Amino acid sequence: MSRTSNLGRSRPGPEWRVAQRVARTDWADDVERCAACRTPVDMREDHYQVVLDRDIDTPGKLSFERQRRVFCDETCADEWTATA
Ligand SMILES: [Zn+2]
């Protein structure tokens, strides 16, 4: 119980921008939860993925941080990005 996860329910702040929104199917034998409605999403099935980028202001170096959210479909992705 020592590991804290930032993933999941917390919504990203305004500094995060949507870099990519894609419908996709992965090969990964993995199940993740939809960030909007918490329904388990099988990565091998059709689902929706949103990639978020944030610039990190490091002196002398341009860098960015990236996170990924998984959704069951476009509707959930829309709903989530609209309220983020
Ligand atoms: Zn969903």
Side-chain angles (χ1 to χ4, degrees):
M1 278 285 284
S2 60
R3 198 160 164 268
T4 345
S5 175
N6 284 327
L7 294 174
R9 274 189 121 34
S10 65
R11 295 181 186 280
E15 72 274 24
W16 289 92
R17 63 178 179 273
V18 176
Q20 197 182 40
R21 285 177 48 139
V22 280
R24 58 178 299 164
T25 311
D26 287 338
W27 300 275
D29 185 7
D30 212 2
V31 175
E32 294 191 30
R33 284 190 182 271
C34 171
C37 69
R38 316 305 295 163
T39 302
V41 179
D42 191 328
M43 296 292 101
R44 291 167 301 179
E45 306 280 338
D46 288 345
H47 63 277
Y48 223 76
Q49 183 174 295
V50 172
V51 176
L52 299 159
D53 282 349
R54 177 175 72 161
D55 291 325
I56 301 172
D57 214 352
T58 315
K61 201 175 90 176
L62 208 66
S63 186
F64 72 93
E65 196 181 344
R66 172 164 282 189
Q67 23 175 316
R68 182 178 62 99
R69 290 289 194 277
V70 167
F71 302 91
C72 16
D73 55 26
E74 192 174 2
T75 313
C76 277
D78 278 345
E79 187 187 310
W80 187 82
T81 44
T83 52

